[in-house]
Amino acid sequence: MKGRMNTGFGEVVINPDVIATYAGSVAVECFGIVGMAAVNMKDGLVKLLKKDSLKHGINVSIEDNRISLEFHVIVAYGVSISAVTDNLISNVRYKVEEFTGMEIEHIRILVEGVRVID
């Protein structure tokens, strides 16, 4: 479902792919996040996604103009996962709500792997 906002000039419709791309760009700016992950369910393999395909590591659902996000991330080795995820949630919540004008219902983070930063 797409997000909808009514303004004095008409209706604005936001595609979930736009929200996913924006949320992905916000996520990779957070300290401790190496990148988004693509999971191959058949083989159980996790692949680090390149910058141009960030939205593939994020699932977006919109119900009653409330956004739910699910991130598949790879975190940096040696950092506190709870600190990284708390930072990710607060940054994404603030920036996506400002960007879309819609409320975020919940954010789910799935840590798919750990990598050493080069």
Side-chain angles (χ1 to χ4, degrees):
M1 174 180 235
K2 296 183 179 183
R4 298 180 185 278
M5 294 182 294
N6 289 316
T7 67
F9 301 108
E11 185 176 61
V12 177
V13 179
I14 303 174
N15 190 313
D17 283 347
V18 173
I19 296 170
T21 301
Y22 184 75
S25 67
V26 171
V28 294
E29 291 175 1
C30 292
F31 173 77
I33 299 292
V34 176
M36 305 309 295
V39 180
N40 183 342
M41 295 304 211
K42 184 177 116 184
D43 300 329
L45 298 175
V46 175
K47 180 173 103 175
L48 180 65
L49 295 172
K50 296 181 180 172
K51 294 247 187 228
D52 57 340
S53 57
L54 293 174
K55 69 181 179 184
H56 296 297
I58 302 172
N59 297 327
V60 177
S61 61
I62 302 171
E63 296 268 339
D64 299 325
N65 272 353
R66 294 172 56 107
I67 303 169
S68 296
L69 298 168
E70 182 177 271
F71 289 87
H72 297 267
V73 298
I74 296 175
V75 297
Y77 176 80
V79 297
S80 167
I81 291 176
S82 65
V84 170
T85 55
D86 288 345
N87 183 33
L88 175 64
I89 289 170
S90 66
N91 282 346
V92 167
R93 181 178 301 278
Y94 174 74
K95 290 184 178 180
V96 171
E97 283 181 349
E98 288 293 313
F99 178 69
T100 62
M102 294 186 286
E103 183 181 344
I104 292 187
E105 186 171 349
H106 75 274
I107 299 173
R108 183 174 180 209
I109 301 173
L110 300 157
V111 178
E112 301 291 353
V114 177
R115 294 254 170 111
V116 176
I117 299 176
D118 297 338

